[in-house]
Amino acid sequence: MPARRGIGMQPALGRQGQLGLAAVDEAYEAEGGRVTTDLFADQSYFEDEALLHELFTAKLEAHAGTIIADGWKWAEPIRDSYVGYYEIEQRKLDRIYAQEGELSEAEAERYDELAELANGDVLDDEGEAELAALQAILDGGFTDEQKAVSGVLFYVDQSGTLKTLEGLVTREDRAAAIEAGFLRPSVHNESGSDTPKSPISNALRDDLGRVAMGARQHAILRDPDLLLDLLAYQLSHSLQWRKPFGLAAEAVPNWPTTEAEGYDLDERLAGKEPREMYGKDLAKSFRTFRQKGQDHTRGELIRCLAALFRGGDEQLSALIDKAIAPQIREVWTPTAANFFSRVGGPYLNELWRDLLDLPEDHPTATTFAKLKKAEKAAKLETLFSDDATRKAHGVTEAQAARIDAWRPEGME
Protein backbone atom coordinates (compact mmCIF):
# COMPACT_ATOMS: atom_id res chain seq x y z
CA MET A 1 0.00 0.00 0.00
CA PRO A 2 1.45 3.39 -0.93
CA ALA A 3 2.51 5.73 1.87
CA ARG A 4 0.14 8.64 2.36
CA ARG A 5 0.70 12.33 2.95
CA GLY A 6 -1.65 15.29 3.22
CA ILE A 7 -1.48 18.33 0.97
CA GLY A 8 0.56 21.17 2.48
CA MET A 9 2.59 19.20 5.03
CA GLN A 10 4.46 21.57 7.36
CA PRO A 11 7.96 21.18 8.83
CA ALA A 12 8.01 19.58 12.27
CA LEU A 13 9.48 21.59 15.15
CA GLY A 14 10.81 20.45 18.51
CA ARG A 15 12.87 21.74 21.42
CA GLN A 16 16.06 20.67 19.63
CA GLY A 17 15.27 22.62 16.47
CA GLN A 18 13.69 21.91 13.12
CA LEU A 19 13.61 18.34 11.92
CA GLY A 20 12.78 19.42 8.37
CA LEU A 21 10.14 16.94 7.20
CA ALA A 22 9.38 19.21 4.27
CA ALA A 23 12.96 18.58 3.15
CA VAL A 24 12.18 14.85 3.15
CA ASP A 25 9.36 15.63 0.72
CA GLU A 26 11.73 17.55 -1.55
CA ALA A 27 14.48 14.92 -1.31
CA TYR A 28 11.97 12.17 -2.12
CA GLU A 29 10.91 13.85 -5.33
CA ALA A 30 14.53 14.82 -6.15
CA GLU A 31 15.48 11.12 -5.89
CA GLY A 32 12.80 10.28 -8.44
CA GLY A 33 10.16 9.12 -5.97
CA ARG A 34 6.72 8.98 -7.55
CA VAL A 35 3.77 10.88 -6.10
CA THR A 36 0.15 10.15 -7.04
CA THR A 37 -2.45 12.83 -6.35
CA ASP A 38 -6.10 12.11 -5.58
CA LEU A 39 -7.87 15.41 -6.26
CA PHE A 40 -11.20 14.18 -4.91
CA ALA A 41 -9.71 13.08 -1.58
CA ASP A 42 -7.34 16.08 -1.44
CA GLN A 43 -4.47 13.68 -0.71
CA SER A 44 -1.13 12.76 -2.23
CA TYR A 45 0.49 9.31 -2.05
CA PHE A 46 4.14 8.31 -1.98
CA GLU A 47 4.56 5.29 -4.25
CA ASP A 48 8.10 4.27 -3.19
CA GLU A 49 7.86 3.42 0.52
CA ALA A 50 11.41 2.06 0.68
CA LEU A 51 12.89 5.34 -0.57
CA LEU A 52 10.71 7.39 1.77
CA HIS A 53 11.75 5.23 4.74
CA GLU A 54 15.43 5.57 3.80
CA LEU A 55 15.24 9.37 3.56
CA PHE A 56 13.25 9.73 6.78
CA THR A 57 15.69 7.46 8.65
CA ALA A 58 18.60 9.53 7.41
CA LYS A 59 16.88 12.68 8.61
CA LEU A 60 16.31 11.16 12.08
CA GLU A 61 19.93 10.06 12.34
CA ALA A 62 21.12 13.51 11.33
CA HIS A 63 18.93 15.04 14.00
CA ALA A 64 20.35 12.63 16.59
CA GLY A 65 23.78 13.98 15.68
CA THR A 66 22.54 17.52 16.23
CA ILE A 67 21.30 16.59 19.71
CA ILE A 68 24.61 14.99 20.66
CA ALA A 69 26.47 18.03 19.32
CA ASP A 70 24.37 20.09 21.75
CA GLY A 71 26.04 18.23 24.63
CA TRP A 72 23.78 15.26 25.32
CA LYS A 73 25.58 11.96 25.86
CA TRP A 74 23.26 10.06 23.51
CA ALA A 75 20.18 10.49 21.35
CA GLU A 76 17.95 7.81 19.89
CA PRO A 77 15.02 8.18 17.48
CA ILE A 78 11.86 6.13 18.08
CA ARG A 79 9.93 5.28 14.95
CA ASP A 80 6.52 5.06 16.64
CA SER A 81 4.21 8.08 16.42
CA TYR A 82 3.75 8.12 20.20
CA VAL A 83 6.09 7.30 23.06
CA GLY A 84 4.80 7.23 26.64
CA TYR A 85 6.37 6.65 30.01
CA TYR A 86 6.11 2.89 29.43
CA GLU A 87 9.13 3.28 27.12
CA ILE A 88 11.17 4.76 29.99
CA GLU A 89 10.07 2.00 32.36
CA GLN A 90 10.70 -0.79 29.85
CA ARG A 91 14.23 0.44 29.22
CA LYS A 92 14.80 0.93 32.99
CA LEU A 93 15.74 4.55 32.44
CA ASP A 94 15.86 7.16 35.19
CA ARG A 95 14.97 10.74 34.48
CA ILE A 96 16.49 14.01 35.61
CA TYR A 97 14.89 17.40 35.08
CA ALA A 98 15.98 20.81 33.91
CA GLN A 99 17.11 23.24 36.58
CA GLU A 100 14.45 25.90 37.04
CA GLY A 101 15.21 29.54 36.51
CA GLU A 102 14.30 32.59 38.56
CA LEU A 103 12.85 35.93 37.51
CA SER A 104 13.96 39.25 38.89
CA GLU A 105 11.37 41.31 40.75
CA ALA A 106 10.76 43.48 37.67
CA GLU A 107 10.53 40.42 35.41
CA ALA A 108 8.07 38.74 37.80
CA GLU A 109 5.83 41.82 37.75
CA ARG A 110 5.98 41.93 33.96
CA TYR A 111 5.23 38.19 33.81
CA ASP A 112 2.08 38.72 35.92
CA GLU A 113 0.94 41.56 33.65
CA LEU A 114 1.42 39.50 30.49
CA ALA A 115 -0.15 36.37 32.02
CA GLU A 116 -3.26 38.36 32.95
CA LEU A 117 -3.54 39.68 29.39
CA ALA A 118 -3.04 36.16 28.02
CA ASN A 119 -5.78 34.80 30.27
CA GLY A 120 -8.09 37.46 28.86
CA ASP A 121 -7.13 36.58 25.26
CA VAL A 122 -5.97 40.17 24.61
CA LEU A 123 -2.22 39.59 24.31
CA ASP A 124 -0.68 40.57 20.96
CA ASP A 125 2.08 38.68 19.15
CA GLU A 126 4.83 40.83 20.65
CA GLY A 127 3.46 40.23 24.14
CA GLU A 128 3.20 36.50 23.52
CA ALA A 129 6.85 36.42 22.50
CA GLU A 130 7.85 38.35 25.62
CA LEU A 131 5.78 36.04 27.84
CA ALA A 132 7.33 32.99 26.18
CA ALA A 133 10.80 34.37 26.83
CA LEU A 134 10.04 34.93 30.52
CA GLN A 135 8.48 31.46 30.73
CA ALA A 136 11.64 30.01 29.21
CA ILE A 137 13.63 31.62 32.03
CA LEU A 138 11.29 30.07 34.59
CA ASP A 139 11.45 26.68 32.91
CA GLY A 140 15.22 26.81 33.07
CA GLY A 141 17.28 24.27 31.19
CA PHE A 142 19.64 21.36 31.41
CA THR A 143 23.22 22.09 32.43
CA ASP A 144 26.22 20.73 30.54
CA GLU A 145 26.90 18.46 33.52
CA GLN A 146 23.37 17.00 33.34
CA LYS A 147 23.61 16.45 29.59
CA ALA A 148 26.95 14.64 30.03
CA VAL A 149 25.25 11.79 31.96
CA SER A 150 21.89 11.64 30.17
CA GLY A 151 20.32 11.50 26.75
CA VAL A 152 17.22 12.01 24.62
CA LEU A 153 14.57 9.86 23.01
CA PHE A 154 12.71 11.60 20.18
CA TYR A 155 9.97 10.79 17.70
CA VAL A 156 7.61 12.40 15.20
CA ASP A 157 3.92 12.30 16.10
CA GLN A 158 1.00 11.83 13.70
CA SER A 159 0.76 15.56 13.02
CA GLY A 160 4.43 15.67 11.97
CA THR A 161 5.64 17.41 15.13
CA LEU A 162 8.93 16.44 16.72
CA LYS A 163 8.55 15.32 20.35
CA THR A 164 11.41 14.78 22.78
CA LEU A 165 11.92 13.03 26.11
CA GLU A 166 15.03 14.61 27.64
CA GLY A 167 17.24 13.95 30.63
CA LEU A 168 17.08 10.14 30.44
CA VAL A 169 19.76 8.23 32.37
CA THR A 170 20.72 4.68 31.42
CA ARG A 171 21.68 2.06 33.99
CA GLU A 172 25.30 2.44 32.90
CA ASP A 173 25.27 6.17 33.69
CA ARG A 174 23.22 5.94 36.89
CA ALA A 175 26.24 5.85 39.22
CA ALA A 176 27.72 8.95 37.61
CA ALA A 177 24.35 10.76 37.83
CA ILE A 178 24.06 9.82 41.52
CA GLU A 179 27.61 10.97 42.23
CA ALA A 180 26.88 14.28 40.53
CA GLY A 181 23.80 14.71 42.73
CA PHE A 182 21.25 14.51 39.90
CA LEU A 183 19.69 11.23 41.14
CA ARG A 184 19.08 9.71 44.54
CA PRO A 185 20.50 6.26 45.26
CA SER A 186 17.87 3.53 44.84
CA VAL A 187 16.69 1.71 47.96
CA HIS A 188 15.68 -1.34 45.93
CA ASN A 189 17.77 -4.46 45.35
CA GLU A 190 18.38 -4.67 41.61
CA SER A 191 21.37 -6.99 41.40
CA GLY A 192 19.50 -10.31 41.53
CA SER A 193 18.58 -13.01 44.00
CA ASP A 194 22.22 -13.73 45.00
CA THR A 195 22.48 -10.37 46.80
CA PRO A 196 22.02 -10.67 50.59
CA LYS A 197 18.54 -9.79 51.81
CA SER A 198 18.22 -6.29 53.20
CA PRO A 199 18.27 -6.15 57.02
CA ILE A 200 15.48 -3.54 56.81
CA SER A 201 12.13 -5.31 57.12
CA ASN A 202 9.05 -4.03 55.34
CA ALA A 203 7.49 -2.97 58.64
CA LEU A 204 10.63 -1.04 59.60
CA ARG A 205 10.84 0.47 56.12
CA ASP A 206 7.24 1.67 56.53
CA ASP A 207 8.09 3.28 59.88
CA LEU A 208 11.15 4.95 58.41
CA GLY A 209 9.01 6.29 55.59
CA ARG A 210 6.58 7.73 58.13
CA VAL A 211 9.43 9.43 59.94
CA ALA A 212 10.70 10.90 56.66
CA MET A 213 7.21 12.19 55.91
CA GLY A 214 7.01 13.66 59.41
CA ALA A 215 10.30 15.46 58.79
CA ARG A 216 8.86 17.04 55.63
CA GLN A 217 5.71 18.11 57.49
CA HIS A 218 7.86 19.48 60.33
CA ALA A 219 9.87 21.53 57.85
CA ILE A 220 6.93 22.85 55.82
CA LEU A 221 5.36 24.28 58.98
CA ARG A 222 8.07 26.93 58.70
CA ASP A 223 6.66 28.10 55.35
CA PRO A 224 2.92 28.80 55.77
CA ASP A 225 2.80 30.73 52.49
CA LEU A 226 3.98 27.63 50.63
CA LEU A 227 1.31 25.57 52.39
CA LEU A 228 -1.42 28.00 51.38
CA ASP A 229 -0.10 28.17 47.81
CA LEU A 230 -0.12 24.37 47.60
CA LEU A 231 -3.65 24.15 48.99
CA ALA A 232 -4.94 26.74 46.53
CA TYR A 233 -3.13 24.94 43.71
CA GLN A 234 -4.56 21.53 44.66
CA LEU A 235 -8.11 22.83 44.99
CA SER A 236 -8.02 24.69 41.67
CA HIS A 237 -6.33 21.92 39.64
CA SER A 238 -7.43 18.34 39.00
CA LEU A 239 -4.32 16.45 40.18
CA GLN A 240 -5.88 12.95 40.57
CA TRP A 241 -3.52 10.75 42.56
CA ARG A 242 -0.72 13.35 42.59
CA LYS A 243 -2.25 15.60 45.25
CA PRO A 244 0.26 17.20 47.66
CA PHE A 245 -2.25 17.00 50.55
CA GLY A 246 -4.16 14.00 51.86
CA LEU A 247 -7.43 15.82 51.20
CA ALA A 248 -10.30 14.92 48.90
CA ALA A 249 -12.72 17.61 47.74
CA GLU A 250 -16.35 16.63 47.29
CA ALA A 251 -18.40 18.47 44.69
CA VAL A 252 -21.09 20.64 46.29
CA PRO A 253 -23.79 21.16 43.59
CA ASN A 254 -24.68 24.82 43.10
CA TRP A 255 -25.74 24.92 39.43
CA PRO A 256 -29.38 24.12 38.53
CA THR A 257 -30.39 22.07 35.50
CA THR A 258 -31.84 25.24 33.97
CA GLU A 259 -28.29 26.61 33.84
CA ALA A 260 -28.06 30.43 34.10
CA GLU A 261 -31.76 31.09 33.56
CA GLY A 262 -32.65 33.66 36.22
CA TYR A 263 -29.47 32.76 38.10
CA ASP A 264 -26.81 35.42 38.72
CA LEU A 265 -24.18 33.56 40.73
CA ASP A 266 -20.79 35.18 41.34
CA GLU A 267 -18.70 34.40 38.26
CA ARG A 268 -15.98 32.90 40.47
CA LEU A 269 -18.41 30.09 41.32
CA ALA A 270 -20.24 29.73 38.03
CA GLY A 271 -19.33 26.41 36.44
CA LYS A 272 -15.65 26.58 37.47
CA GLU A 273 -14.12 23.11 37.31
CA PRO A 274 -10.56 22.37 38.52
CA ARG A 275 -8.08 22.65 35.66
CA GLU A 276 -7.32 19.28 34.11
CA MET A 277 -3.66 18.38 34.68
CA TYR A 278 -3.41 14.83 33.35
CA GLY A 279 0.00 14.25 31.78
CA LYS A 280 1.25 17.75 32.63
CA ASP A 281 4.40 18.76 34.51
CA LEU A 282 3.11 19.70 37.96
CA ALA A 283 6.38 21.25 39.13
CA LYS A 284 6.45 23.61 36.15
CA SER A 285 2.75 24.38 36.56
CA PHE A 286 3.10 25.13 40.28
CA ARG A 287 6.08 27.42 39.69
CA THR A 288 3.97 29.39 37.23
CA PHE A 289 1.07 29.42 39.71
CA ARG A 290 3.25 30.88 42.48
CA GLN A 291 4.69 33.51 40.16
CA LYS A 292 1.23 35.08 39.97
CA GLY A 293 1.62 36.22 43.57
CA GLN A 294 -0.20 36.03 46.89
CA ASP A 295 -3.27 37.94 45.72
CA HIS A 296 -3.86 35.31 43.05
CA THR A 297 -3.26 32.47 45.52
CA ARG A 298 -5.65 33.98 48.06
CA GLY A 299 -8.27 34.57 45.37
CA GLU A 300 -8.09 30.97 44.16
CA LEU A 301 -8.19 29.66 47.72
CA ILE A 302 -11.23 31.75 48.61
CA ARG A 303 -13.00 30.84 45.37
CA CYS A 304 -12.42 27.11 45.79
CA LEU A 305 -13.28 27.05 49.50
CA ALA A 306 -16.51 28.95 48.81
CA ALA A 307 -17.43 26.41 46.12
CA LEU A 308 -16.81 23.57 48.60
CA PHE A 309 -18.80 25.17 51.44
CA ARG A 310 -21.85 23.14 52.52
CA GLY A 311 -22.59 24.49 56.00
CA GLY A 312 -22.29 21.76 58.62
CA ASP A 313 -24.95 20.62 61.08
CA GLU A 314 -28.07 22.65 61.91
CA GLN A 315 -26.47 24.67 64.70
CA LEU A 316 -23.27 25.44 62.78
CA SER A 317 -25.21 26.34 59.63
CA ALA A 318 -27.40 28.72 61.62
CA LEU A 319 -24.35 30.38 63.15
CA ILE A 320 -22.71 30.85 59.73
CA ASP A 321 -25.92 32.11 58.11
CA LYS A 322 -26.20 34.71 60.87
CA ALA A 323 -22.67 35.87 60.08
CA ILE A 324 -22.98 36.00 56.27
CA ALA A 325 -26.73 36.77 55.87
CA PRO A 326 -27.30 34.88 52.58
CA GLN A 327 -30.07 36.22 50.32
CA ILE A 328 -31.44 33.70 47.81
CA ARG A 329 -33.12 36.38 45.73
CA GLU A 330 -29.77 38.15 45.38
CA VAL A 331 -28.70 35.42 42.96
CA TRP A 332 -32.00 33.87 41.84
CA THR A 333 -35.11 35.29 40.18
CA PRO A 334 -37.99 32.92 39.32
CA THR A 335 -38.65 32.71 35.58
CA ALA A 336 -40.88 30.66 33.33
CA ALA A 337 -37.99 28.31 32.54
CA ASN A 338 -36.51 27.81 36.00
CA PHE A 339 -39.72 27.66 38.06
CA PHE A 340 -43.17 28.72 36.83
CA SER A 341 -43.38 26.20 33.95
CA ARG A 342 -42.35 23.44 36.35
CA VAL A 343 -45.34 23.74 38.72
CA GLY A 344 -49.05 23.20 38.14
CA GLY A 345 -51.65 25.69 36.90
CA PRO A 346 -53.63 25.88 40.20
CA TYR A 347 -50.40 26.78 42.04
CA LEU A 348 -49.80 29.63 39.56
CA ASN A 349 -53.38 30.89 39.99
CA GLU A 350 -52.99 31.02 43.77
CA LEU A 351 -49.57 32.68 43.55
CA TRP A 352 -50.88 35.38 41.18
CA ARG A 353 -53.77 36.20 43.52
CA ASP A 354 -51.57 36.16 46.62
CA LEU A 355 -48.89 38.47 45.21
CA LEU A 356 -51.46 41.01 43.96
CA ASP A 357 -53.87 40.66 46.94
CA LEU A 358 -56.73 39.61 44.63
CA PRO A 359 -59.93 37.84 45.69
CA GLU A 360 -60.70 34.68 43.72
CA ASP A 361 -63.54 36.36 41.78
CA HIS A 362 -61.59 39.48 40.82
CA PRO A 363 -61.55 40.00 37.03
CA THR A 364 -57.75 40.10 36.98
CA ALA A 365 -57.70 36.76 38.82
CA THR A 366 -60.36 35.07 36.69
CA THR A 367 -58.77 36.31 33.46
CA PHE A 368 -55.41 34.90 34.59
CA ALA A 369 -57.02 31.54 35.52
CA LYS A 370 -58.37 31.13 31.95
CA LEU A 371 -54.92 31.42 30.38
CA LYS A 372 -52.90 28.44 29.19
CA LYS A 373 -50.16 27.33 31.58
CA ALA A 374 -47.36 28.70 29.38
CA GLU A 375 -49.09 32.08 29.26
CA LYS A 376 -49.50 32.10 33.05
CA ALA A 377 -45.81 31.32 33.47
CA ALA A 378 -44.86 34.14 31.10
CA LYS A 379 -47.09 36.67 32.91
CA LEU A 380 -45.66 35.75 36.30
CA GLU A 381 -42.13 36.09 34.93
CA THR A 382 -42.86 39.66 33.78
CA LEU A 383 -44.42 40.45 37.16
CA PHE A 384 -41.10 39.54 38.78
CA SER A 385 -38.84 41.28 36.28
CA ASP A 386 -40.69 44.04 34.41
CA ASP A 387 -41.51 47.42 35.97
CA ALA A 388 -44.04 48.22 33.23
CA THR A 389 -46.06 45.10 34.12
CA ARG A 390 -46.08 46.05 37.78
CA LYS A 391 -47.19 49.58 36.93
CA ALA A 392 -49.97 48.25 34.70
CA HIS A 393 -51.32 46.14 37.55
CA GLY A 394 -51.00 48.94 40.08
CA VAL A 395 -48.51 47.08 42.27
CA THR A 396 -48.06 48.88 45.60
CA GLU A 397 -44.75 49.31 47.41
CA ALA A 398 -45.75 46.59 49.89
CA GLN A 399 -46.68 44.20 47.08
CA ALA A 400 -43.43 44.97 45.24
CA ALA A 401 -41.44 44.23 48.39
CA ARG A 402 -43.30 40.94 48.77
CA ILE A 403 -42.61 40.01 45.12
CA ASP A 404 -38.94 40.91 45.45
CA ALA A 405 -38.56 38.80 48.59
CA TRP A 406 -40.76 35.88 47.54
CA ARG A 407 -39.30 32.41 47.25
CA PRO A 408 -40.94 28.98 47.07
CA GLU A 409 -41.58 27.13 50.29
CA GLY A 410 -38.75 24.83 51.34
CA MET A 411 -36.13 27.00 49.60
CA GLU A 412 -33.77 27.59 52.49
Side-chain angles (χ1 to χ4, degrees), residues 341-409:
S341 65
R342 304 171 73 180
V343 294
Y347 180 96
L348 299 179
N349 295 341
E350 183 178 352
L351 178 61
W352 179 261
R353 295 195 306 269
D354 180 61
L355 292 174
L356 296 178
D357 296 315
L358 300 172
E360 194 169 346
D361 60 351
H362 191 283
T364 301
T366 57
T367 300
F368 182 87
K370 293 177 183 178
L371 297 174
K372 295 179 180 179
K373 180 181 173 181
E375 294 172 331
K376 294 177 182 179
K379 282 187 71 68
L380 274 165
E381 178 175 319
T382 59
L383 184 64
F384 275 78
S385 60
D386 182 51
D387 290 337
T389 299
R390 293 189 184 189
K391 185 175 181 179
H393 286 286
V395 173
T396 66
E397 289 186 9
Q399 290 170 339
R402 187 160 68 247
I403 292 170
D404 291 338
W406 181 88
R407 63 190 189 197
E409 60 271 17

Side-chain angles (χ1 to χ4, degrees), residues 255 264-271 331:
W255 203 247
D264 189 24
L265 195 65
D266 190 302
E267 63 178 8
R268 291 173 293 177
L269 298 172
V331 300

Side-chain angles (χ1 to χ4, degrees), residues 25-136:
D25 263 5
E26 297 170 1
Y28 174 82
E29 295 182 11
E31 291 289 332
R34 292 175 299 167
V35 178
T36 301
T37 302
D38 184 343
L39 296 178
F40 296 99
D42 195 28
Q43 296 285 336
S44 294
Y45 299 89
F46 295 102
E47 298 291 342
D48 191 340
E49 287 191 61
L51 176 58
L52 179 64
H53 178 76
E54 178 184 341
L55 293 171
F56 185 64
T57 298
K59 198 68 180 176
L60 290 176
E61 291 175 352
H63 187 66
T66 300
I67 294 174
I68 293 173
D70 191 41
W72 295 98
K73 183 171 184 180
W74 56 270
E76 180 182 342
I78 304 295
R79 285 168 176 76
D80 291 335
S81 60
Y82 174 77
V83 176
Y85 285 101
Y86 69 90
E87 187 76 27
I88 297 176
E89 294 176 359
Q90 186 177 32
R91 294 169 177 246
K92 299 187 183 302
L93 299 171
D94 289 298
R95 192 168 191 179
I96 58 179
Y97 295 91
Q99 294 187 359
E100 63 184 73
E102 186 174 349
L103 298 178
S104 67
E105 185 175 342
E107 288 174 331
E109 290 179 2
R110 181 58 176 162
Y111 180 94
D112 291 342
E113 293 173 3
L114 294 170
E116 186 174 349
L117 293 173
N119 290 335
D121 292 327
V122 292
L123 192 61
D124 58 20
D125 292 342
E126 184 178 347
E128 288 183 359
E130 186 180 357
L131 180 59
L134 292 173
Q135 186 64 57

Side-chain angles (χ1 to χ4, degrees), residues 239-259:
L239 305 182
Q240 292 92 29
W241 68 94
R242 300 181 292 172
K243 301 186 294 286
F245 293 102
L247 299 172
E250 298 178 21
V252 180
N254 66 355
W255 203 247
T257 58
T258 50
E259 298 292 332

